[in-house]
Amino acid sequence: MVGYNPGAQGAGPSPKEAALAGSAAGMVTRALISPFDVLKIRFQLQIEPVSSRCPGGKYWGVFQASRRIVSEEGFSAFWKGHIPAQLLSIGYGAVQFTSFEFLTKVVHETTPYDSQTSGVHFVCGGLAACSATVACQPLDTLRTRFAAQGEPKVYSNLRQAVAMMCSTEGASTFYRGLSPTLLAVFPYAGLQFFFYNFFKRLLDPPPTAADSGGNLRSLLCGGGAGIISKTITYPLDLFKKRLQVGGFEEARVQFGQVRCYRGLVDCVIQISKEEGARGLFKGLKPSLIKAALSTGFTFFWYELFLNAMCNLREEQRTSCLTKDLQDK
């Protein structure tokens, strides 16, 4: 079970184990879901309608966009920005899960609340994600810019992108879109942990029954949690992406119209007026596919890696105790 569990056999995961499991889960998951992330970002940044009934924009559907990206930029375009994205996933997973394990333990030991309730997981999950977001926001901005650019590229590698952004836009540009990111990430991550906990409790077998499908349940519960949480908080993610490419308009001209926003409020007003309510959910379809896979695989790999490390630690501990008894 994710989070501090006072009823679990043996000691809970150490901060190092939680960080390693979170990093590994983020790294493997990112490699698998990168194409959906690129599609989502392209749709989110398109001013024109994303619809086959109004094909005025560059992209108007998942399959059409996929074919166009492959024909114009090659299959590797689905992994544009993969290096900063991987760094983001590794760092984010480490900070988020370490913080979550720590916070749930603190709540259980210092408050009357049970650390394994869904409400506690919502609050702790949201706070853990906020801490990870602040730590990793520069990498998220870099990932978005690499995924957003077409051909010819404005940034050819990570070092050049960092140097160019610092010299032309200032260091604060790495934190563009932080306000909507924090507004979105708390409920989004909180709901992920909430529904994951809820579904796991709902689907877990009774204590007397044999458990043979734990990993599959983690994948299904995480997928369901990802879809629900992403749908509820999606517009805030779109606002974040629009703000992150501010000052990057020259790389977006070939994709269609571009817009400049003075801040979060101006971004919300302009999108609502010009693109309507549907504009707030551009890219939702690939985003839901990505959210289901990303959240499902993240929890799946996290529990798998964490259980493997905890079992290895217990085996080493048992082996040492046995050796000590034999020596005596």
Side-chain angles (χ1 to χ4, degrees):
M1 199 68 153
V2 175
Y4 178 68
N5 186 2
Q9 293 182 344
S14 66
K16 182 180 178 180
E17 289 171 336
L20 287 173
S23 296
M27 180 179 66
V28 176
T29 301
R30 172 62 60 183
L32 296 173
I33 56 90
S34 182
F36 297 104
D37 204 29
V38 171
L39 284 169
K40 180 200 75 166
I41 291 172
R42 295 291 178 91
F43 287 160
Q44 286 179 325
L45 298 180
Q46 181 168 296
I47 304 299
E48 297 84 359
V50 180
S51 171
S52 58
R53 288 174 292 183
C54 305
K58 188 178 180 73
Y59 308 121
W60 59 80
V62 172
F63 294 109
Q64 178 270 340
S66 300
R67 289 194 300 269
R68 187 153 192 175
I69 290 172
V70 171
S71 65
E72 293 180 352
E73 306 169 52
F75 190 71
S76 62
F78 288 115
W79 281 268
K80 276 189 173 180
H82 191 59
I83 293 176
Q86 275 291 13
L87 294 174
L88 168 66
S89 297
I90 291 169
Y92 193 95
V95 176
Q96 182 183 35
F97 281 104
T98 303
S99 300
F100 183 75
E101 298 288 347
F102 170 77
L103 289 170
T104 51
K105 184 176 182 179
V106 169
V107 166
H108 187 83
E109 293 178 346
T110 61
T111 73
Y113 298 103
D114 182 354
S115 63
Q116 283 298 311
T117 60
S118 297
V120 168
H121 278 216
F122 172 79
V123 176
C124 292
L127 291 174
C130 285
S131 63
T133 297
V134 173
C136 302
Q137 177 71 4
L139 290 168
D140 190 26
T141 300
L142 285 164
R143 181 277 307 257
T144 298
R145 295 225 177 172
F146 274 102
Q149 69 179 351
E151 300 291 341
K153 297 176 181 177
V154 175
Y155 307 133
S156 58
N157 56 60
L158 190 59
R159 179 182 295 180
Q160 184 218 9
V162 172
M164 187 180 294
M165 290 169 69
C166 286
S167 62
T168 60
E169 303 172 60
S172 62
T173 194
F174 292 103
Y175 284 91
R176 283 193 181 200
L178 181 60
S179 297
T181 302
L182 291 175
L183 286 174
V185 78
F186 182 90
Y188 176 55
L191 288 170
Q192 279 184 329
F193 281 95
F194 176 92
F195 283 110
Y196 181 74
N197 178 276
F198 173 78
F199 290 142
K200 282 281 283 187
R201 286 173 170 271
L202 193 67
L203 298 179
D204 266 349
T208 55
D211 184 6
S212 59
N215 291 334
L216 179 60
R217 274 200 308 279
S218 295
L219 188 63
L220 293 175
C221 292
I227 290 173
I228 295 172
S229 55
K230 176 56 74 175
T231 303
I232 294 172
T233 62
Y234 187 76
L236 288 167
D237 186 45
L238 184 138
F239 301 147
K240 177 189 77 170
K241 290 294 184 291
R242 293 287 181 96
L243 291 170
Q244 282 182 326
V245 294
F248 192 56
E249 288 77 15
E250 72 275 12
R252 300 289 308 155
V253 173
Q254 62 180 299
F255 291 101
Q257 301 178 49
V258 294
R259 294 290 182 272
C260 296
Y261 305 110
R262 295 188 299 272
L264 176 58
V265 175
D266 181 54
C267 181
V268 174
I269 293 172
Q270 282 200 51
I271 293 174
S272 300
K273 283 184 178 180
E274 188 173 1
E275 303 169 55
R278 290 175 65 89
L280 303 177
F281 291 90
K282 283 181 175 177
L284 180 61
K285 188 181 293 184
S287 186
L288 288 182
I289 298 172
K290 178 215 166 184
L293 294 174
S294 176
T295 309
F297 277 123
T298 296
F299 281 113
F300 169 84
W301 290 116
Y302 176 73
E303 291 211 30
L304 186 70
F305 289 134
L306 195 63
N307 289 336
M309 284 189 288
C310 288
N311 290 337
L312 180 62
R313 187 223 309 154
E314 288 301 313
E315 288 177 6
Q316 291 175 340
R317 178 173 171 273
T318 303
S319 176
C320 289
L321 288 174
T322 303
K323 187 174 181 298
D324 289 342
L325 289 173
Q326 290 174 345
D327 291 341
K328 289 180 180 179

